[in-house]
Amino acid sequence: MSAEMSSMDPEGGIDGVRMSWNVWPRTKVEASKCVIPLAACIAPLRPHPDIPTLPYAPLRCKTCSAVLNPFARVDFAAKIWICPFCYQRNHFPPHYAAISDTNLPGELYPQYGTIQYSLPSMAPNSPGDPHSRASPVFIFVLDTCMIEEELGFAKSALKQAIGLLPDNALVGFVSFGTQVQVHELGFSEMSKVYVFRGSKEIAKEQVLEQLGLGVSARSRVGGPGFQKGMVQNGYPGGSVVTRFLLPASECEYTLNSLLDELQTDQWPVAPGNRAARCTGVALSVAAGLVGACLPGTGARIVALVGGPCTEGPGTIVSKDLSDPVRSHKDLDKDAAPYFKKAVKFYDSLAKQLVNQGHVLDLFASALDQVGVAEMKVVVERTGGLVVLAESFGHSVFKDSFKRIFEDGEQSLGLCFNGILEINCSKDIKIEGILGPCTSLEKKGPAVADTVTGEGGTTAWKMCGLDKSTCLTVLFDLSSSERSAAPGTVNPQLYLQFLTSYQNPEGQSMLRVTTVTRTWIDSSVSSEDLVQGFDQETAAVVMARIASFKMETEEGFDATRWLDRKLIRVCSKFGDYRKDDPTSFMLNPCFSLFPQFLFNLRRSQFVQVFNNSPDETAYFRMLLNRENITNAAVMIQPSLISYSFNSLPAPALLDVASIAADRILLLDSYFSIVIFHGMTIAQWRNMGYQNQPEHQAFAQLLQAPNDDAQMIIRERFPVPRLVVCDQHGSQARFLLAKLNPSATYNNAHEMTAGSDVIFTDDVSLQVFFEHLQRLAVQS
């Protein structure tokens, strides 16, 4: 598949790979002159109808262990293939004896740059039968320090979820408030609960010992053979773990009645104080419980949290209500006394979960912060899902929570135990990955000296991954000047992404994507380089790097950093006469890039003012894991205009798009706004849409709602829907995103029915003028 073709498809064609540059400069020096780093955004599990699945194990190169692919040179007579990465000659094994140039195996078909292998399953509960599948495990962790009504919403969501789980899924239940209760679901005669103190940290060994799952208990039940994988009724470890983890079909009744009896936390709360909530201990107890399953079991800890942790490890704020939860200002000034300690605790929990191969999903619903900023490290490193809402009764939570357990078209396709490996051509080095994964510290010649994100490795663990998971891989070139004489150098470079994982049915799969791009000597001509620039991907990569730097570098000024990069891009790739701003022109391949960065500078990723650290962490986690199209909408929302005299059409993201007789639909990814112009709102309030002669008006009102519902159905987490009118209080959701081309300064030039934005922010026009002036400076 050629670079030209893949740049047409919004998500990178069959390969699911999009690059900031589709043509690569030869040397490190030339690459640094390109300003925008060499990066590939990959969606390792994106479904595509043309990807074939082969029922056998892949052939690997004996030196670099790359997988056989269509770019390998094959000598059919001698039955030899030459690896495109390390040029090693490999012999085909005997069962490939029948291959010829007219009888190719699937992995050599030129159109299959991406291919899947279904591997013989090594399911932990199947010593003999290779076809038995591992059962997924779900442990629900429910916060009970909530008002009656909120707890009711959370309970009904849990009941619905348990009804949707596949019958073979194993379910466990932990509730927590001031203390942690682990419910023994296997003991159906009465409800039996193990209680842990919420005030002190508990090691995994202690958790297992107290639940009777320790080494001593295991040897009692299973005898000496248990450790080797003795299996009863298809579940590991005799009856030990099955006291706490039961198949959904068997424990649905027990769990429903348990939830009906469950009350809000009964521990007394002194006036003026927050409830004592031990989120940290609850999560480490749940992690210990899934740790008792055999290794290789896919497991998710699904936590429903309704407030900040105030007790034990992971505490983010004191119990005294006069102490507010940390803000961005506190974090900048180092005035958040609990922050670093909590992050350290969750960091160690992340390591434990990654070692076990398990996932933490976080559903936080509260009006105040609950500590998403601290927990980000666990959720992101384990590839968990995160949803932040205002209440457990809000559609953002309810619909998103339901989506996780649905199958069919709506399913998220949750997979477990992923490992990503990357092979690349000789001079290419990997700096690291931004996104939901953890470095496995696997050293190799392709590891760069500088590290960004999860780096220092050529393999990454992804405990949880799904159809939409997207990772950004940052590359560097080795500093050596051209090693061979220019005539002998291969004009193509190759990258191979190998993702092994367990699919939702428990089957082990390996997906192999091999892509090629062309090297060019950009010191000679930069025309090909320009043609190969993908501005949408580049903008998203810049947003991800800026967010990462804001979190990891002290006093990093993202706006200045982005401005400098943009000025360098414009002076390198723009057409102009020195010191003459009016002569400045940008090639169409770059023309949208400044506008993306203008919106990125104003977005919630860079301007953290007016957002809590929890919201910022939430936005950044989604920016890092969504595909390019979705991430581009987060940075630069889309706006559609509906009016009587024209079909729905895209409108400029500008205050000038507001008109009294229009409806606007804004999609900013996290929220969707339907905005009615003044006149439309008046007609609607008078009820014109209910009169038969105003059929057209009824249809006009309905159209944006239908389109909004379509977006909401496709998206996870479910966005918040805001329906508002011009000059209404909720109109701020739209106005905050629009380019302020009309402000109170030039309000006199306005046409009737349009709007102004009260701001001193720079408009796109002024931003552009400054950019031109700075780009042409000699």
Side-chain angles (χ1 to χ4, degrees):
M1 171 134 187
S2 70
E4 288 71 41
M5 278 165 63
S6 67
S7 59
M8 302 317 288
D9 178 347
E11 283 318 314
I14 186 173
D15 300 329
V17 174
R18 282 183 69 176
M19 301 199 190
S20 49
W21 298 97
N22 284 305
V23 182
W24 285 33
R26 270 275 181 214
T27 62
K28 196 176 177 119
V29 177
E30 289 298 320
S32 68
K33 286 185 192 161
C34 289
V35 190
I36 312 291
L38 295 168
C41 295
I42 59 170
L45 295 194
R46 196 176 73 96
H48 194 288
D50 300 340
I51 297 177
T53 301
L54 304 177
Y56 48 84
L59 287 190
R60 287 181 175 253
C61 166
K62 61 185 179 200
T63 343
C64 68
S65 73
V67 168
L68 177 63
N69 58 73
F71 303 109
R73 301 229 308 279
V74 179
D75 178 343
F76 292 105
K79 301 281 182 284
I80 283 175
W81 61 280
I82 297 174
C83 168
F85 295 95
C86 66
Y87 306 119
Q88 168 69 43
R89 298 161 69 83
N90 296 282
H91 288 277
F92 281 102
H95 59 271
Y96 276 79
I99 65 168
S100 68
D101 44 11
T102 53
N103 181 19
L104 290 173
E107 61 266 46
L108 286 177
Y109 275 78
Q111 68 271 38
Y112 294 151
T114 293
I115 199 159
Q116 292 210 100
Y117 295 90
S118 81
L119 306 172
S121 174
M122 303 306 286
N125 35 359
S126 60
D129 173 17
H131 296 292
S132 87
R133 305 282 167 84
S135 302
V137 178
F138 292 89
I139 292 200
F140 294 101
V141 180
L142 177 64
D143 180 354
T144 56
C145 289
M146 295 192 250
I147 55 169
E148 199 64 58
E149 184 188 20
E150 280 291 300
L151 189 63
F153 288 137
K155 283 186 198 173
S156 67
L158 277 176
K159 286 180 182 173
Q160 186 185 27
I162 293 155
L164 288 169
L165 284 173
D167 287 347
N168 70 333
L170 296 179
V171 181
F173 183 60
V174 176
S175 59
F176 70 97
T178 306
Q179 292 159 335
V180 181
Q181 295 89 28
V182 180
H183 300 264
E184 187 176 319
L185 301 176
F187 196 79
S188 49
E189 290 77 52
M190 53 183 273
S191 65
K192 185 169 167 191
V193 176
Y194 290 73
V195 179
F196 291 85
R197 262 183 54 194
S199 50
K200 65 181 211 294
E201 203 164 329
I202 310 177
K204 178 181 170 179
E205 287 66 39
Q206 285 172 294
V207 173
L208 296 178
E209 208 55 58
Q210 287 183 29
L211 293 175
L213 302 176
V215 176
S216 53
R218 293 191 210 182
S219 50
R220 277 205 306 280
V221 174
F226 163 66
Q227 242 71 26
K228 297 196 184 70
M230 192 191 96
V231 174
Q232 273 184 14
N233 66 13
Y235 297 116
S239 63
V240 181
V241 165
T242 51
R243 290 174 21 222
F244 297 99
L245 301 178
L246 263 73
S249 49
E250 287 173 33
C251 70
E252 188 167 355
Y253 175 75
T254 319
L255 250 172
N256 279 339
S257 41
L258 194 156
L259 284 168
D260 288 335
E261 290 165 19
L262 194 68
Q263 293 178 314
T264 56
D265 192 47
Q266 297 301 301
W267 211 262
V269 177
N273 276 7
R274 294 183 172 87
R277 182 187 277 106
C278 60
T279 319
V281 173
L283 293 177
S284 48
V285 167
L289 180 55
V290 280
C293 303
L294 281 185
T297 312
R300 303 188 86 93
I301 297 172
V302 182
L304 282 70
V305 183
C309 176
T310 56
E311 177 88 347
T315 298
I316 67 161
V317 66
S318 71
K319 292 189 185 64
D320 186 352
L321 271 171
S322 59
D323 287 350
V325 185
R326 76 247 163 322
S327 66
H328 276 295
K329 226 180 209 131
D330 298 333
L331 294 178
D332 289 343
K333 288 193 197 142
D334 231 352
Y338 299 96
F339 184 75
K340 286 194 169 122
K341 199 171 166 202
V343 171
K344 192 173 166 209
F345 165 73
Y346 285 117
D347 191 67
S348 66
L349 184 62
K351 288 196 176 79
Q352 180 189 336
L353 283 173
V354 168
N355 281 340
Q356 296 173 184
H358 300 152
V359 186
L360 172 65
D361 296 324
L362 178 61
F363 290 84
S365 297
L367 289 168
D368 198 0
Q369 304 182 64
V370 302
V372 179
E374 284 82 355
M375 295 185 210
K376 174 177 189 275
V377 50
V378 199
V379 179
E380 196 150 50
R381 291 225 192 116
T382 60
L385 303 167
V386 57
V387 175
L388 191 58
E390 286 170 9
S391 141
F392 284 114
H394 199 293
S395 67
V396 171
F397 164 74
K398 285 198 307 198
D399 298 348
S400 302
F401 194 67
K402 195 172 128 203
R403 278 287 298 280
I404 297 188
F405 305 102
E406 284 183 338
D407 47 7
E409 274 299 287
Q410 289 297 301
S411 130
L412 297 177
L414 298 178
C415 297
F416 299 95
N417 274 320
I419 287 183
L420 169 73
E421 296 172 74
I422 301 180
N423 293 315
C424 35
S425 290
K426 187 165 145 279
D427 289 328
I428 301 173
K429 307 274 183 238
I430 303 164
E431 281 190 5
I433 291 187
L434 298 176
C437 63
T438 304
S439 162
L440 283 175
E441 307 289 333
K442 182 182 171 194
K443 301 291 181 234
V447 176
D449 304 335
T450 46
V451 172
T452 310
E454 293 290 316
T457 177
T458 57
W460 293 260
K461 176 94 180 168
M462 304 165 75
C463 303
L465 63 169
D466 57 68
K467 293 197 293 206
S468 65
T469 304
C470 178
L471 301 171
T472 304
V473 190
L474 298 166
F475 295 103
D476 192 10
L477 299 178
S478 60
S479 43
S480 65
E481 280 305 300
R482 297 181 188 74
S483 39
T488 61
V489 180
N490 185 356
Q492 296 297 105
L493 63 101
Y494 300 99
L495 301 169
Q496 188 175 64
F497 305 99
L498 306 168
T499 314
S500 56
Y501 63 98
Q502 249 176 23
N503 69 8
E505 291 75 50
Q507 171 68 39
S508 300
M509 307 292 285
L510 171 71
R511 184 184 282 208
V512 180
T513 294
T514 316
V515 294
T516 182
R517 294 289 187 267
T518 316
W519 289 116
I520 61 152
D521 192 345
S522 55
S523 53
V524 178
S525 128
S526 63
E527 186 50 35
D528 293 343
L529 196 62
V530 170
Q531 293 302 322
F533 182 65
D534 180 340
Q535 33 196 349
E536 210 177 17
T537 306
V540 172
V541 168
M542 295 307 274
R544 288 174 177 164
I545 295 175
S547 290
F548 172 72
K549 285 179 177 291
M550 285 177 82
E551 280 182 358
T552 52
E553 292 180 19
E554 288 286 311
F556 174 75
D557 185 342
T559 310
R560 292 203 50 184
W561 182 79
L562 288 167
D563 285 351
R564 282 205 201 100
K565 295 280 185 195
L566 182 57
I567 292 165
R568 283 181 54 201
V569 166
C570 289
S571 38
K572 165 129 175 101
F573 296 105
D575 272 329
Y576 54 87
R577 292 189 299 279
K578 287 263 167 71
D579 294 325
D580 178 3
T582 54
S583 67
F584 183 83
M585 291 274 294
L586 257 184
N587 184 299
C589 297
F590 283 88
S591 55
L592 298 175
F593 189 64
Q595 188 181 325
F596 268 120
L597 288 205
F598 169 75
N599 284 299
L600 173 58
R601 289 169 83 236
R602 303 182 65 209
S603 71
Q604 67 272 49
F605 303 111
V606 173
Q607 302 300 335
V608 294
F609 175 75
N610 212 2
N611 283 326
S612 65
D614 271 17
E615 287 171 311
T616 302
Y618 173 60
F619 295 144
R620 286 180 179 158
M621 276 197 273
L622 287 176
L623 172 73
N624 274 349
R625 57 162 291 143
E626 278 305 322
N627 64 36
I628 297 295
T629 313
N630 284 346
V633 171
M634 297 180 197
I635 296 168
Q636 182 169 299
S638 72
L639 190 64
I640 300 172
S641 148
Y642 300 80
S643 63
F644 277 118
N645 43 16
S646 65
L647 290 167
L652 283 176
L653 195 63
D654 193 303
V655 66
S657 295
I658 295 178
D661 59 350
R662 270 187 191 176
I663 305 177
L664 294 175
L665 174 68
L666 176 89
D667 175 9
S668 68
Y669 196 83
F670 302 101
S671 56
I672 290 176
V673 183
I674 299 176
F675 175 95
H676 301 100
M678 236 168 3
T679 318
I680 301 260
Q682 285 164 354
W683 290 346
R684 185 204 55 213
N685 296 344
M686 291 174 184
Y688 284 177
Q689 68 277 19
N690 304 326
Q691 300 169 4
E693 67 270 27
H694 291 301
Q695 201 71 48
F697 180 56
Q699 286 165 352
L700 179 67
L701 279 180
Q702 192 50 43
N705 282 301
D706 296 343
D707 290 351
Q709 286 310 322
M710 216 165 77
I711 296 172
I712 287 171
R713 251 202 323 276
E714 291 297 308
R715 185 164 296 168
F716 181 90
V718 171
R720 168 183 183 163
L721 180 64
V722 179
V723 181
C724 61
D725 297 339
Q726 191 174 358
H727 306 310
S729 70
Q730 301 260 300
R732 64 181 191 276
F733 281 100
L734 173 72
L735 296 178
K737 296 287 182 191
L738 297 181
N739 167 36
S741 61
T743 65
Y744 63 95
N745 293 324
N746 53 3
H748 54 274
E749 305 159 6
M750 283 174 48
T751 52
S754 62
D755 223 323
V756 291
I757 295 180
F758 293 97
T759 179
D760 288 321
D761 273 3
V762 174
S763 72
L764 182 62
Q765 194 57 40
V766 177
F767 177 76
F768 245 67
E769 285 164 10
H770 283 258
L771 174 62
Q772 288 174 341
R773 211 177 58 238
L774 291 163
V776 301
Q777 274 179 3
S778 47

